[in-house]
Amino acid sequence: MKPFSQACENNRQPILDVLRRVFSDRQGVLEIGSGTGQHAVYFARHLPYLQWQTSDLSENLEGINAWLAAEPSANLLAPVMLNVKQPSWPELVVDAVFTANTLHIMSWESVTCFFSQIPVLFQGQQGTLAAYGPFNYQGNYTSESNARFDLWLKDQGAECAIRDFEQVNALAERAGLHLVEDNAMPANNRLLVWESA
């Protein structure tokens, strides 16, 4: 049985609409936290010019592989095991990174590690990072549903929380990235896009 996320089904087209634009001149993308694998099979099929590299923690790889086996694409690669806190990431040739609904379920230490590795991945070349999920602005929730969701997250684990955009953007800037787009998305989410200098 393949794992299934209804949220992936709901948000995949709005995300794709943005990725088609911001990844139009990219060649290889690393998806960090591929989750069920649903996004990967959908985006790879609709962005055939992009080599799509999946990744996640070891416990999620079997589910991702099940989706890849059911809906293969020539440009879709089997997942690599990746914990953002590991000292060195797999050596990959990519000029784009995509992640969805991960920053709020990571610890802040993990979010910091995530951004610190982006310039290592891009190896001094121009790259694009796209991150989807809920964000607070100036310490405020963008909706009551996000406030409730944040309480639920904190009940799941003390290190989980909706992140403040300003703090996340500061990490991106420290990594040599500059914000180029902040897209409103369904269900009070955002799709933030940064580019390397």
Side-chain angles (χ1 to χ4, degrees):
M1 293 290 292
K2 303 191 301 293
F4 180 81
S5 165
Q6 187 60 50
C8 284
E9 296 297 301
N10 295 346
N11 63 33
R12 64 184 189 176
Q13 187 61 50
I15 293 174
L16 177 63
D17 291 342
V18 175
L19 296 187
R20 273 200 171 111
R21 184 178 69 254
V22 302
F23 286 172
S24 63
D25 58 349
R26 303 295 87 188
Q27 298 179 15
V29 58
L30 169 63
E31 180 183 13
I32 297 177
S34 298
T36 63
Q38 287 164 258
H39 274 161
V41 298
Y42 187 75
F43 297 150
R45 184 166 68 249
H46 288 87
L47 302 169
Y49 59 89
L50 263 180
Q51 182 169 271
W52 196 277
Q53 174 66 65
T54 55
S55 76
D56 212 308
L57 301 174
S58 57
E59 58 263 33
N60 294 325
L61 301 190
E62 184 178 354
I64 296 167
N65 278 318
W67 273 96
L68 269 59
E71 300 186 35
S73 293
N75 60 323
L76 182 54
L77 303 179
V80 294
M81 199 289 291
L82 176 60
N83 182 327
V84 296
K85 290 173 69 175
Q86 65 195 58
S88 60
W89 287 13
E91 291 188 15
L92 302 167
V93 179
V94 297
D95 55 5
V97 171
F98 170 74
T99 195
N101 289 323
T102 57
L103 301 184
H104 58 274
I105 60 173
M106 296 180 191
S107 67
W108 183 247
E109 178 188 2
S110 294
V111 176
T112 301
C113 291
F114 171 94
F115 278 95
S116 70
Q117 287 288 345
I118 299 301
V120 180
L121 267 180
F122 290 158
Q123 300 179 14
Q125 304 300 310
Q126 185 181 26
T128 304
L129 165 62
Y132 173 91
F135 294 91
N136 293 335
Y137 290 80
Q138 298 179 333
N140 298 314
Y141 298 110
T142 59
S143 68
E144 295 214 0
S145 63
N146 276 6
R148 292 192 299 271
F149 180 52
D150 198 39
L151 287 175
W152 180 85
L153 284 170
K154 289 169 181 173
D155 282 342
Q156 307 309 301
E159 296 186 317
C160 300
I162 294 179
R163 305 302 172 190
D164 286 337
F165 161 77
E166 290 81 9
Q167 293 181 325
V168 170
N169 191 52
L171 292 178
E173 290 181 345
R174 198 179 306 160
L177 304 169
H178 63 278
L179 186 75
V180 292
E181 293 189 14
D182 181 350
N183 299 280
M185 303 298 282
N188 302 302
N189 288 300
R190 315 293 298 186
L191 183 48
L192 307 177
V193 182
W194 293 272
E195 289 184 354
S196 60

